[in-house]
């Protein structure tokens, strides 16, 4: 059985999380067969961006299918402190946002919870506003590097005080900004988006030299509002040619969340599942190629692009998997899926290698260290060789205790791995899945309940 933490409240948010709390989740029942049609919560990256742009669009916007997880609520809470009126971010209702073209000075520190995307994108938006704001977060977020964003923002003219260390809390005072031409040291959608959003609120041109392509949701949304955003040969150019107006947006299901259910289906003994309404933006679905290379039978069907973002269904069939060697160039496109891909590698025949995954060290946890220690803890042979993650597949029943470090993707990856018949994996903090996937435990359970 999973252990469950005490029920607790998270003070900066507008609700008490109930996912997982007070319940135990059986994982020993054999789940050989999966079936049925399933859904996943709204896309996290698109939800953050939609809330932010709606908060700056004068009038009322409506976002349906928004992610209602802790991270999304952190963004809503921060935007409320900056003057936006945002209805409660709750499952089953659309979110209404009444925005203003300029933020107002916040009455208190901006608490970003566990969310790096909230923090870094907000820094970009605040850079163009002439007032001070302090950003902070939970223990994990306070340790994550921010100079990769604050460095170029200071070059644009924002004044930032991080107290001499690369992390939160920090205080930003924005104002009038100069155009930016910046060579990005790491491929990161958060850095890229922060700088584009600084271009937006500062009304200046931004040119970015990207080491590798990353998710392009910010570009697509800005293009929708008439901003010039064009990428050619690794150079992304933004010009403040557009204007934000209120909008209606239907957020597709999060492919990064779908990846956990797809993986569970691939690992099942038989059956197939369909996940409907999943975002299939090419910059997000590199994990499908890797799963296919491993022998995973997964297809995308009915792909259409209703609002500038491709979406469709994913169909995943129980499969026999073999090891994979993922080159460094593919990593930025699957950065959030490496924990679950590594868990698939733990059940694939042969030795898998994920090359140059050093960015994992600065995620919600040191994911490289935790993947290695947790895979070993449950009986899988794994190692960090330099910046590579190496995993040796095994068919043996797995047992042991997983330390998540509060990292949602570690918790979900090992919950999927623990489904195998005869396995007994105990997760120290399964509740942290609520950071990106409210209802994850039920969703996982349903994969085989439908078949029962
Ligand atoms: C995100 C970008 C990625 C990803 C994160 C969401 C975004 O972070 O890991 O979960 O929405 O822009 P990095 O930009 O740090 O790679």
């Amino acid at each position: 059985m999973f252990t469950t933490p005490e029920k607790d409240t998270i003070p900066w948010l507008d609700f008490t999380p109930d996912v997982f709390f007070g319940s135990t989740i059986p994982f020993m029942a054999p789940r050989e067969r999966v079936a049925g049609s399933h859904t996943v919560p709204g896309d996290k990256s698109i939800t953050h961006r939609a809330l932010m742009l709606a908060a700056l669009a004068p009038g009322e916007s409506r976002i349906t299918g928004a992610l209602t997880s802790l991270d999304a609520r952190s963004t809503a809470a921060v935007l409320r402190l900056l003057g936006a009126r945002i209805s409660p971010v709750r499952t089953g209702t659309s979110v209404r946002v009444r925005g203003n073209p300029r933020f107002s000075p916040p009455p208190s520190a901006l608490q970003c919870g566990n969310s790096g995307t909230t923090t870094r994108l907000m820094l970009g938006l605040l850079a163009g506003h002439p007032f001070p704001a302090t950003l902070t977060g939970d223990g994990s977020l306070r340790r994550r590097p921010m100079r990769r964003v604050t460095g170029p923002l200071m070059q644009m003219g924002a004044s930032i005080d991080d107290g001499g260390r690369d992390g939160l809390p920090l205080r930003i005072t924005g104002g009038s900004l100069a155009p930016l031409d910046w060579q990005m040291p790491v491929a990161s959608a958060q850095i890229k988006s922060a700088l584009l959003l600084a271009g937006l609120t500062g009304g200046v041109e931004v040119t970015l030299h990207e080491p590798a392509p990353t998710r392009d949701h910010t570009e697509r949304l800005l293009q929708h509002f008439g901003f010039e955003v064009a990428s050619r040969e690794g150079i992304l150019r933004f010009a403040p040619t557009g204007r934000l107006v209120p909008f209606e947006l239907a957020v597709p299901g999060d492919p990064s969340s779908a990846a956990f259910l797809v993986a569970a289906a691939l690992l099942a003994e038989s059956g197939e599942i369909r996940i409907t309404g999943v975002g299939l933006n090419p910059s997000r679905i590199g994990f499908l190629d890797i799963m296919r290379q491993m022998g995973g039978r997964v297809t995308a069907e009915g792909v259409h692009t209703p609002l500038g973002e491709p979406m469709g269904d994913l169909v995943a069939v129980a499969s026999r998997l073999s090891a994979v060697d993922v080159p460094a160039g593919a990593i930025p496109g699957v950065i959030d899926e490496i924990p679950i891909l590594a868990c698939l590698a733990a059940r694939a025949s042969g030795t898998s290698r994920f090359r140059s995954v050093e960015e994992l060290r600065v995620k919600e946890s040191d994911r490289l260290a935790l993947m290695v220690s947790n895979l070993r803890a449950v009986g899988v042979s794994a190692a960090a060789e330099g910046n590579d993650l190496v995993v040796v597949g095994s068919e043996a029943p797995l047992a042991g205790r997983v330390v998540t470090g509060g990292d949602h993707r570690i918790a979900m990856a090992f919950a999927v791995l623990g489904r195998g018949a005869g396995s007994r994996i105990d997760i120290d903090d399964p509740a942290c899945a609520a950071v990106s996937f409210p209802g994850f435990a039920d969703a996982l359970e349903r994969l085989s309940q439908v078949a029962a």
Side-chain angles (χ1 to χ4, degrees):
M1 305 290 263
F2 285 95
T3 53
T4 54
E6 293 295 294
K7 192 174 177 97
D8 195 5
T9 54
I10 296 182
W12 61 88
L13 297 170
D14 58 358
F15 85 126
T16 301
D18 54 7
V19 183
F20 292 104
F21 290 121
S23 66
T24 51
I25 300 147
F27 74 92
M28 283 297 291
R31 288 183 175 82
E32 291 93 356
R33 186 172 172 73
V34 291
S37 179
H38 304 268
T39 56
V40 288
D43 188 277
K44 182 156 82 70
S45 294
I46 297 176
T47 299
H48 285 302
R49 288 155 171 82
L51 288 169
M52 289 176 185
L53 293 186
L56 285 169
E60 185 169 294
S61 295
R62 201 151 64 99
I63 305 168
T64 55
L67 179 64
T68 61
S69 75
L70 300 182
D71 270 12
R73 290 173 195 224
S74 292
T75 286
V78 164
L79 291 169
R80 287 188 191 109
L81 287 172
L82 292 165
R85 286 172 51 198
I86 304 180
S87 65
V89 179
R90 285 203 193 108
T91 309
T93 58
S94 54
V95 183
R96 290 175 187 276
V97 182
R98 182 159 282 280
N100 307 297
R102 303 301 286 169
F103 289 151
S104 43
S108 60
L110 303 173
Q111 174 53 266
C112 301
N114 189 249
S115 177
T117 312
T118 306
T119 315
R120 296 190 175 124
L121 272 55
M122 284 310 310
L123 282 169
L125 290 172
L126 288 165
H129 286 87
F131 53 73
T134 298
L135 290 98
T136 190
D138 70 8
S140 145
L141 185 60
R142 286 201 302 273
R143 286 189 292 273
R144 295 179 67 185
M146 294 296 153
R147 287 188 179 162
R148 44 179 59 196
V149 174
T150 56
L153 291 178
M154 287 169 79
Q155 182 165 317
M156 292 176 86
S159 144
I160 293 166
D161 179 3
D162 62 11
R165 53 174 287 282
D166 186 6
L168 296 182
L170 61 75
R171 184 177 161 92
I172 177 168
T173 309
S176 113
L177 300 181
L180 179 74
D181 189 318
W182 186 254
Q183 177 72 51
M184 292 173 58
V186 262
S188 157
Q190 290 180 356
I191 304 177
K192 169 177 71 176
S193 300
L195 301 177
L196 293 176
L197 294 175
L200 171 77
T201 56
V204 294
E205 288 183 14
V206 171
T207 304
L208 302 175
H209 304 260
E210 293 188 87
T214 56
R215 65 192 71 191
D216 62 359
H217 306 299
T218 308
E219 294 91 307
R220 286 174 188 253
L221 278 168
L222 289 174
Q223 278 162 358
H224 174 80
F225 294 107
F227 292 93
E228 245 174 75
V229 197
S231 180
R232 259 192 72 218
E233 289 165 10
I235 303 177
L236 180 64
R237 293 179 202 282
F238 165 86
T241 47
R243 193 168 66 92
L244 293 181
V245 291
F247 58 92
E248 296 208 353
L249 181 78
V251 179
D254 195 322
S256 300
S257 297
F260 295 102
L261 303 189
V262 169
L266 298 185
L267 290 179
E269 210 164 284
S270 65
E272 74 170 50
I273 61 164
R274 176 179 291 271
I275 311 173
T276 58
V278 182
L280 296 174
N281 179 320
S283 66
R284 294 290 300 283
I285 55 172
F287 72 90
L288 294 177
D289 292 333
I290 294 172
M291 288 176 174
R292 286 183 195 123
Q293 277 175 46
M294 299 177 83
R297 291 185 288 161
V298 53
T299 47
E301 293 183 0
V303 184
H304 59 298
T305 306
L307 292 154
E309 285 281 355
M311 61 186 289
D313 295 353
L314 288 177
V315 177
V317 184
S319 306
R320 283 202 73 75
L321 302 179
S322 51
V324 71
D325 189 328
V326 183
I331 296 299
V334 295
I335 193 69
D336 289 341
E337 286 72 57
I338 294 169
I340 188 59
L341 290 171
C343 283
L344 285 182
R347 286 318 207 182
S349 63
T351 300
S352 293
R353 183 176 288 269
F354 300 85
R355 295 182 185 266
S356 301
V357 294
E358 59 271 19
E359 270 298 295
L360 291 189
R361 296 189 208 275
V362 290
K363 290 295 177 189
E364 285 83 331
S365 66
D366 179 343
R367 274 187 191 156
L368 180 51
L370 278 186
M371 283 311 298
V372 170
S373 59
N374 284 316
L375 283 168
R376 287 181 179 169
V378 301
V380 177
S381 169
E385 290 182 1
N387 288 326
D388 295 356
L389 171 62
V390 179
V391 182
V392 183
S394 149
E395 283 184 352
L398 303 175
R401 182 167 174 80
V402 166
V403 175
T404 61
D407 187 327
H408 53 133
R409 297 197 201 278
I410 300 262
M412 291 189 281
F414 281 91
V416 169
L417 188 59
R419 285 169 56 86
S423 291
R424 179 172 279 276
I425 292 182
D426 179 38
I427 297 176
D428 70 346
D429 179 17
C432 67
V435 158
S436 64
F437 195 152
F440 171 71
D442 290 343
L444 201 55
E445 192 78 357
R446 270 197 302 274
L447 297 182
S448 45
Q449 272 177 1
V450 185

